[in-house]
Amino acid sequence: MTSINSSVKSAFAFVLFMLCQACRENLEESPFSSLSKDVVFKDEDGLNQATIGVYQAWTAPDFSDITSRFILAESGHRYATAGILGSGSDPYYRFGHVASSGAFEAVWARFYKIIFRANTVIDNAKQAVPAEEEEADPYLAEARFLRAYAYFNLVRLFGGVPLIVKEIKSLDDTELIFAPRATDAAVYEAIIADLTFAENNLPDSRGGAELGRVSAGTAKALLGKVYLTMAGKPLSRTENYQKAVDKLSELTGPENEEKYDFELLPDFADVFALSNERNREIVLSFGYFINSSNPNGNILPFNLFPSGLVNGDEQTNYGLTYAFYQQYEKTDTRRDFTLVERYVFRGTARAGAEPGDSLIYEPGTGNYINKRTKTPLGHNDFRYGMAYGKLAREPRPAGAAIQGYSADLIEMRFSDVLLCLTEALVETGKTTQALPLLNRVRARAKATALKLATAAELRTAIRKERRLELTGEFNTVLDIRRWGTLNEEIAAMSSDQIVDNNLVPYTPRLELYPIPQSQMDANPNLVQNAGW
């Protein structure tokens, strides 16, 4: 049974909307259960709570797909390798996955849950304010933005997917439940329509109790990134580079940054601090707050940090090669925050390490070495990578599950806006305008200013800079695909990155992930991606 079918069965009996933890930290949780749509959409307050329910779908407790989405977006390139536990990112980092691999179903289900909730709000919003229907427009804009972002993730991961933009009201809506795949182009056109509506019907920025909800600035930023993506592979609509320039330019420069409340924070690490969440560099994020309804929180610190970085029981299911660490200049403040080269063990003793031990990554052996015992941390029968550390390095809250951290899930930052604009400027021949933006990002990181001139040199520098700045933020593999450089990435990988397995050679099928086999089995109208 598909995840869509499961959602339909639940929604057919009742509409379930929960107050969203993602919107503001002090929001009291007061979940609805078994409420009919007539009750939920009886007034603007109900419409507001229903809209918040769409945000909540991004952070609902079935958390395994968060790690799965990280792995799908950040594994499978020249710098990806195993973590201390080895198998966490397997088989994805070595291209050994199949259509039945669990990550695909987990990610697919999350996104269609979001789409289902958004469609319910969109199709019922004006029922809540029938006398003044235009009052529904800001809520419609939020729901349409969140639907667009779900589809943007789906189309980049899987290609054309079922395009469901109406509420599924019953199990009789088979044309929606068993919708065929739309083309990539059709999905992108729906995304553009949603984001265009959003930017025209949302406030320029948010503050106070609304901080964390999307704004016109958020919509413009994502729309610019969508145009940039469409200009690359597989659509190759190069005229969209200029559309990306036009849209992203609306957000940059002192006046625009003030208008939309964006900035590049002076200190890179401050962007990710728990005490500074929803800061002015955050374009889009979803909040995780440990409480009775969501004890698991954000699982990424647990699955990515090296054991003992904050608690002692972290898992480190993913790694990055030492060669990636070497891509940073020594002065670059991003280097030792993005990757954990050395640290003091904290928390509960584990894997031969005790609180206070110094752990240092040794490139020669591909292991973290305990300075006190001179032995590797964890496994010593294979080489593993350096751990990812670009998250708030604070212990989980008292009473939380071992995987439960409160760190927000950052989806887009203003530095991404600047680098997207830089890239679009280069591709439209405006290299002199591009270089200052690139150096602005590097200056914040205390990296050397570049003095490049040609488009080819800038293109290479921008692609490297996106990795240095944005690795681990759901961009790496998706950038590689739109650049059409996956073949080069695989050619640059070496056998010592792969634990007990041979690297799969490049084939065109690797440009997309397969449609989950469970979906293929349940929906007779789906067609699998070529080669899968």
Side-chain angles (χ1 to χ4, degrees):
M1 183 66 68
T2 68
S3 59
I4 298 175
N5 280 333
S6 299
S7 297
V8 172
K9 285 187 174 180
S10 298
F12 186 47
F14 58 85
V15 180
L16 180 65
F17 291 109
M18 294 185 1
L19 288 181
C20 177
Q21 302 158 354
C23 298
R24 55 185 186 270
E25 192 163 8
N26 62 350
L27 194 61
E28 295 285 339
E29 180 169 334
S30 179
F32 292 93
S33 63
S34 300
L35 296 182
S36 71
K37 288 187 294 182
D38 288 340
V39 173
V40 173
F41 294 104
K42 68 178 181 179
D43 54 27
E44 188 173 353
D45 181 61
L47 173 58
N48 179 55
Q49 293 174 4
T51 304
I52 289 172
V54 187
Y55 287 90
Q56 191 273 340
W58 285 90
T59 61
D62 46 340
F63 56 83
S64 65
D65 63 294
I66 302 301
T67 299
S68 295
R69 183 155 71 97
F70 180 94
I71 294 301
L72 296 187
E74 296 295 333
S75 283
H77 58 87
R78 70 181 69 196
Y79 300 122
T81 188
I84 292 172
L85 293 185
S87 61
S89 58
D90 187 74
Y92 310 98
Y93 82 103
R94 61 177 178 84
F95 307 100
H97 49 268
V98 294
S100 59
S101 296
F104 305 130
E105 172 62 25
V107 170
W108 181 283
R110 170 79 72 169
F111 288 135
Y112 274 104
K113 177 189 292 184
I114 294 160
I115 290 164
F116 176 83
R117 288 199 185 186
N119 285 342
T120 302
V121 171
I122 292 164
D123 284 3
N124 293 279
K126 292 190 176 180
Q127 173 184 323
V129 285
E132 313 222 10
E133 290 188 356
E134 68 277 2
E135 291 185 13
D137 287 346
Y139 302 104
L140 286 167
E142 286 183 271
R144 292 186 69 171
F145 175 94
L146 295 168
R147 179 174 71 180
Y149 189 51
Y151 272 122
F152 186 44
N153 280 282
L154 283 165
V155 74
R156 291 181 296 166
L157 292 169
F158 302 106
V161 294
L163 187 56
I164 303 171
V165 293
K166 291 182 181 180
E167 178 191 10
I168 299 175
K169 298 178 180 179
S170 81
L171 294 177
D172 292 329
D173 292 332
T174 55
E175 77 283 2
L176 299 176
I177 297 170
F178 299 113
R181 297 181 66 177
T183 64
D184 294 38
V187 176
Y188 275 110
E189 290 307 313
I191 292 168
I192 290 170
D194 278 350
L195 293 178
T196 301
F197 182 88
E199 71 168 331
N200 291 328
N201 289 280
L202 287 170
D204 291 339
S205 61
R206 300 279 196 174
E210 293 190 336
L211 190 62
R213 297 178 77 152
V214 297
S215 65
T218 314
K220 289 177 185 292
L222 185 58
L223 185 53
K225 191 168 185 174
V226 168
Y227 285 136
L228 182 67
T229 302
M230 294 175 70
K233 306 289 185 181
L235 292 183
S236 300
R237 293 187 177 178
T238 55
E239 68 274 14
N240 281 1
Y241 282 123
Q242 185 58 52
K243 292 181 181 180
V245 169
D246 295 341
K247 187 56 58 182
L248 296 170
S249 294
E250 294 178 24
L251 300 174
T252 56
E255 185 175 337
N256 289 334
E257 290 169 35
E258 182 66 26
K259 178 180 180 180
Y260 294 105
D261 200 26
F262 291 144
E263 72 169 330
L264 204 63
L265 295 192
D267 189 306
F268 183 73
D270 283 351
V271 178
F272 305 90
L274 290 186
S275 60
N276 199 31
E277 290 184 323
R278 299 166 207 85
N279 58 72
R280 293 185 66 200
E281 187 163 333
I282 304 302
V283 175
L284 175 64
S285 67
F286 297 110
Y288 283 84
F289 311 109
I290 305 299
N291 57 30
S292 59
S293 71
N294 192 5
N296 296 308
N298 183 347
I299 196 174
L300 288 184
F302 175 76
N303 274 345
L304 298 175
F305 284 166
S307 293
L309 185 67
V310 292
N311 275 109
D313 43 24
E314 299 88 347
Q315 297 293 298
T316 328
N317 288 332
Y318 168 83
L320 288 157
T321 66
Y322 188 72
F324 182 64
Y325 184 78
Q326 293 176 302
Q327 296 299 301
Y328 292 93
E329 296 177 275
K330 292 181 179 180
T331 59
D332 195 322
T333 57
R334 298 171 297 192
R335 185 187 70 172
D336 292 307
F337 192 74
T338 301
L339 295 141
V340 183
E341 190 261 347
R342 61 183 63 208
Y343 66 102
V344 175
F345 192 94
R346 296 181 174 86
T348 306
R350 187 168 189 252
E354 297 177 1
D357 284 352
S358 294
L359 283 298
I360 303 172
Y361 188 78
E362 186 178 85
T365 61
N367 296 143
Y368 283 98
I369 303 300
N370 188 324
K371 188 176 180 181
R372 175 178 61 84
T373 65
K374 307 294 191 282
T375 59
L377 178 69
H379 288 270
N380 62 0
D381 55 343
F382 62 83
R383 298 174 60 91
Y384 53 76
M386 299 180 72
Y388 178 81
K390 198 200 299 183
L391 295 158
R393 298 184 184 182
E394 298 186 32
R396 59 180 179 266
I402 61 170
Q403 68 271 20
Y405 292 77
S406 288
D408 283 358
L409 194 66
I410 296 173
E411 302 278 345
M412 190 175 185
R413 295 190 286 116
F414 190 60
S415 59
D416 193 2
V417 171
L418 294 175
L419 291 174
C420 284
L421 177 54
T422 302
E423 184 176 344
L425 286 167
V426 169
E427 300 303 335
T428 52
K430 304 177 182 68
T431 55
T432 56
Q433 294 174 243
L435 185 57
L437 293 173
L438 178 61
N439 279 330
R440 181 179 173 187
V441 175
R442 290 180 60 78
R444 190 268 293 271
K446 295 181 172 52
T448 304
L450 301 177
K451 299 179 180 179
L452 306 172
T454 70
E457 291 173 332
L458 274 167
R459 186 177 297 115
T460 299
I462 291 165
R463 292 180 179 184
K464 178 179 178 180
E465 200 65 29
R466 286 190 65 81
R467 293 201 183 193
L468 299 182
E469 177 72 20
L470 301 172
T471 281
E473 298 181 51
F474 308 104
N475 287 288
T476 305
V477 170
L478 306 179
D479 280 344
I480 289 166
R481 288 180 176 180
R482 69 182 177 83
W483 293 330
T485 58
L486 182 58
N487 198 351
E488 297 172 26
E489 292 294 317
I490 293 177
M493 295 179 74
S494 60
S495 59
D496 64 2
Q497 290 174 249
I498 309 302
V499 178
D500 298 329
N501 289 288
N502 293 322
L503 176 64
V504 173
Y506 174 81
T507 69
R509 75 173 190 161
L510 298 177
E511 299 291 347
L512 288 173
Y513 291 121
I515 301 297
Q517 188 60 48
S518 59
Q519 302 296 318
M520 295 296 301
D521 294 341
N523 185 347
N525 296 318
L526 291 182
V527 177
Q528 184 57 276
N529 283 323
W532 292 104

